[in-house]
Amino acid sequence: MDEKTLKKDRLRYTKNSISSGLALLAILFNVFYFVSIYKSDVGNYYYNIKIGVSVIYNLLFMLFTFLCSEGVKKYSFGYSVTLVVVGLLQLVRINILPKQAHSTTVTISGAERLVMEDAQYNRVIIFLLISATFAIAGGVIGIIRNRTLTAYNKSLNK
């Protein structure tokens, strides 16, 4: 057996730990994101329905991403695609809460200030970008490995 065939054959007996690990890293950087957002105390800005939806979305993101991390271990095509979609949704989130908070001012103790200062804004954008990158990369690797394994299994049946 040559080296390439041996690598393909190993896929049948090993888990896709790279995609799974990347999904878990996506969750970790999402946690960094929401801790940075939710620890902010800027008047009453964050006491609205938008933050409630954000909390629910974060819980769903972590739930689905963890579920996908378990699914991609078994080279599941569906979970890999879902992981890519979840990663793309992380990119969309940049334009919702962080962008709006960065462009809104509030008056606290008689002084106007941004809800989200530049340093925090940059930090949360980086966290979302890293989270999205890990999720998308994990999904793409899962798709590639799924297709490789499926093609190899078909060649064995012939």
Side-chain angles (χ1 to χ4, degrees), residues 24-117:
L24 294 176
L25 285 171
I27 292 171
L28 177 68
F29 280 92
N30 184 67
V31 168
F32 292 157
Y33 161 78
F34 78 74
V35 166
S36 180
I37 294 283
Y38 301 153
K39 75 175 183 173
S40 299
D41 185 22
V42 186
N44 290 332
Y45 181 79
Y46 288 121
Y47 299 113
N48 58 35
I49 191 73
K50 192 184 315 175
I51 203 71
V53 171
S54 177
V55 169
I56 291 169
Y57 180 84
N58 278 315
L59 293 172
L60 290 174
F61 170 84
M62 291 186 290
L63 177 70
F64 278 108
T65 306
F66 182 75
L67 181 63
C68 289
S69 80
E70 291 299 310
V72 295
K73 280 184 188 177
K74 299 172 189 144
Y75 302 98
S76 168
F77 182 78
Y79 285 115
S80 298
V81 170
T82 303
L83 196 54
V84 170
V85 170
V86 165
L88 292 174
L89 288 174
Q90 287 292 81
L91 296 175
V92 171
R93 292 178 74 190
I94 291 171
N95 294 317
I96 302 173
L97 191 63
K99 194 171 194 176
Q100 291 173 357
H102 184 63
S103 62
T104 303
T105 58
V106 292
T107 304
I108 299 176
S109 303
E112 274 201 21
R113 66 178 213 138
L114 287 171
V115 171
M116 188 179 292
E117 299 291 335

